[in-house]
Amino acid sequence: MTTSARSAAAPRGEALAEALQEARAAYTRANPESQRQFDAACAHMPGGNTRTVLFHSPFPLRIARGQDCRLWDADGHEYVNFLGDFTAGLFGHTNPAIASAVSAALANGISLSGHNELEARFAARICERFPTIDRVRFTNSGTEANLLALAAATATTGRSKILVFDGAYHGSVIAFTGGSKPTNVPHEWVIGTYNDIDGTKALLDAHRQSLAAVLVEPMLGSGGCVPAEPEFLRLLREHTRESGALLILDEVMTSRLAVGGRQGMLGIEADLTTLGKYLGGGLSFGAFGGRSEIMAAYDPRTPEFLSHAGTFNNNVVTMSAGLAALDEFPPNAADQLTVRGDQLRTELNQLCAQSGAPMVFTGLGSLMTVHFTERTVRCGADVVAGDQELKELFFFDMLSAGIYLARRGMIALSLPIGPSECRELVEAVASFIEHRRRFWA
Ligand code: PLP
């Protein structure tokens, strides 16, 4: 019996497992050089890896180079990069303005051992772009930005508990995708359910006296591009204002949606906001900022100031690239990208709905994630309930169609992606639906 004759007769689970096995085998055959480099890396790095999110079975691709929105792997395959480095790669791989800002900074010397003019200019531009940020501090990552925002909250309120939400990702040591992680920093976490107004209200009431902060993403980003419902964010704002806890909005991903971030779109004012990813032009970057009286806790001119160290916080390369990034992404560009992303997601969802595929692309603007489920995706549990085998098959089918995206199904559009690349994605998804419909029809 041929493989396809056996698949047609096999029950759906067995046939899907077989299709996945074939997809993994085809991937392995097509990528010998990636596999060789992976095996070599395993000799010196656990799992050949230094960034967990990039790992997937049987081994991840090794990327050799990128140009605009395209990538080439070690075996010479070309892809349209729809991952956009999980939102950090907004400008594509070869933006000339950012490259020349980096060169200009390097021309004046590396590691200057002191303050520079660029950091204050960059800070002024960030404060101008995000109206709830009166004062800002730079870090090297979004993780650090959240850690320092939390430190400001516990220090200024004198309280210890932090309300976060299942499915949220605030950094490598502040992760709640599938509950708290053993690597998380030991804050007194209270974990609520995203978009659950009644349950969250009960938690806010129960911990009213002891909550230092609520830390929340305006959309679960890494956790599946699940937008917060505006009433949910409003509840958090109103309750924290009354109880004296700080509202920290983690806009590391969502700040790209519009000037002022998602909070600006909804008219919700955070006490502190954290930023990262694309705002450093694609280089290591993070920032936290907010109301001047809270940020004053970090003012070294005051006797009891909080220390915020970091050798590379003001490194000239990121400061210079960040200034160029703001020039390259003015307010109208942010709005246009959000519209383009909304249109693409609508088109993809129409395709899924018309074909009867149990697939949905959730998200906002240029940020989206595919889920294989028929339920409405509103929280972390809805994401976990999706069919993970279909998602893996989708991933391998997209790679073989020249579409690079996250193994978990995330897409973050970059500015060089235009209508023809969007068409390539829509056609690849249509072809997946056509070829794989036996798994749900
Ligand atoms: N916050 C959010 C919403 C994120 O998506 C991420 C990274 O994916 C982080 C924080 C952590 O940023 P970094 O990876 O720069 O530490």
Side-chain angles (χ1 to χ4, degrees):
M1 199 170 17
T2 64
T3 306
S4 55
R6 201 168 49 237
S7 307
R12 183 243 188 218
E14 223 176 281
L16 178 54
E18 200 173 284
L20 246 180
Q21 215 175 341
E22 280 170 20
R24 288 193 203 114
Y27 172 88
T28 304
R29 280 193 304 277
N31 294 291
E33 180 56 19
S34 275
Q35 183 169 26
R36 191 196 64 73
Q37 291 188 22
F38 169 73
D39 291 341
C42 287
H44 304 288
M45 304 165 94
N49 177 282
T50 191
R51 187 179 174 191
T52 304
V53 71
L54 297 181
F55 182 78
H56 65 79
S57 289
F59 55 86
L61 294 176
R62 301 282 135 169
I63 302 301
R65 72 183 179 91
Q67 189 180 337
D68 297 328
C69 61
R70 293 189 182 256
L71 291 173
W72 286 264
D73 69 20
D75 290 280
H77 306 116
E78 179 179 335
Y79 304 90
V80 179
N81 184 357
F82 276 94
L83 175 52
D85 209 1
F86 296 88
T87 76
L90 177 67
F91 303 96
H93 307 295
T94 42
N95 178 292
I98 290 173
S100 68
V102 168
S103 306
L106 290 176
N108 286 330
I110 307 171
S111 274
L112 298 179
S113 318
H115 282 286
N116 57 75
E117 185 240 347
L118 296 169
E119 66 199 64
R121 272 175 49 208
F122 191 25
R125 294 283 303 276
I126 294 276
C127 293
E128 186 191 341
R129 191 170 176 111
F130 297 94
T132 61
I133 300 184
D134 302 327
R135 302 277 187 278
V136 67
R137 282 280 185 128
F138 297 118
T139 63
N140 297 284
S141 66
T143 303
E144 273 181 84
N146 281 315
L147 290 172
L148 287 147
L150 290 174
T154 52
T156 59
T157 61
R159 302 173 180 180
S160 54
K161 290 184 185 161
I162 313 289
L163 177 60
V164 290
F165 296 93
D166 183 38
Y169 183 80
H170 301 288
S172 73
V173 291
I174 327 171
F176 303 93
T177 39
S180 192
K181 306 281 179 203
T183 41
N184 275 356
V185 283
H187 273 296
E188 281 186 58
W189 306 112
V190 177
I191 306 179
T193 300
Y194 203 68
N195 279 328
D196 172 12
I197 295 212
D198 292 342
T200 302
K201 194 165 176 324
L203 285 176
L204 288 164
D205 286 339
H207 300 281
R208 174 179 286 272
Q209 308 297 332
S210 50
L211 266 191
V214 175
L215 172 62
V216 63
E217 293 167 89
M219 175 185 77
L220 294 180
S222 295
C225 289
V226 182
E229 289 158 17
E231 318 81 82
F232 175 65
L233 292 178
R234 285 200 188 100
L235 165 74
L236 299 177
R237 177 61 288 180
E238 282 156 25
H239 204 291
T240 47
R241 193 169 275 140
E242 280 165 26
S243 70
L246 301 190
L247 178 64
I248 307 175
L249 287 183
D250 178 344
E251 297 239 36
V252 164
M253 283 192 174
T254 51
S255 63
R256 64 157 56 190
L257 294 173
V259 161
R262 188 157 192 233
Q263 58 187 286
M265 295 168 96
L266 297 175
I268 292 170
E269 295 189 349
D271 297 305
L272 292 176
T273 299
T274 54
L275 303 170
K277 306 279 192 193
Y278 74 97
L279 278 165
L283 285 85
S284 301
F285 171 77
F288 65 102
R291 283 174 28 217
S292 51
E293 64 274 25
I294 303 168
M295 292 300 290
Y298 284 101
D299 186 338
R301 296 169 300 183
T302 57
E304 302 276 304
F305 73 93
L306 298 175
S307 170
H308 163 220
T311 304
F312 299 112
N313 289 349
N314 65 338
N315 80 82
V316 289
V317 179
T318 300
M319 300 296 108
S320 186
L323 279 163
L326 289 173
D327 288 340
E328 289 292 285
F329 196 49
N332 63 334
D335 293 343
Q336 280 162 14
L337 183 66
T338 293
V339 169
R340 191 178 335 145
D342 284 338
Q343 284 168 347
L344 175 62
R345 203 176 50 263
T346 302
E347 193 176 349
L348 290 165
N349 280 332
Q350 278 166 353
L351 192 62
C352 300
Q354 280 157 11
S355 66
M359 278 172 80
V360 63
F361 288 80
T362 60
L364 291 169
S366 54
L367 310 172
M368 61 195 89
T369 295
V370 66
H371 304 275
F372 289 85
T373 182
E374 275 167 324
R375 66 199 239 187
T376 307
V377 181
R378 295 182 63 234
C379 66
D382 296 328
V383 171
V384 173
D387 187 320
Q388 303 308 322
E389 285 189 316
L390 273 179
K391 188 178 266 194
E392 186 178 354
L393 191 58
F394 178 78
F395 172 70
F396 285 119
D397 282 7
M398 288 303 105
L399 286 184
S400 61
I403 304 287
Y404 190 82
L405 78 173
R407 162 66 184 81
R408 62 164 70 124
M410 184 176 181
I411 285 172
L413 300 185
S414 63
L415 292 168
I417 287 184
S420 68
E421 285 83 14
C422 289
R423 183 103 323 269
E424 280 185 57
L425 174 65
V426 172
E427 282 167 9
V429 172
S431 164
F432 169 83
I433 290 173
E434 181 58 30
H435 287 98
R436 302 300 189 180
R437 65 169 65 247
R438 68 183 186 281
F439 296 123
W440 56 82

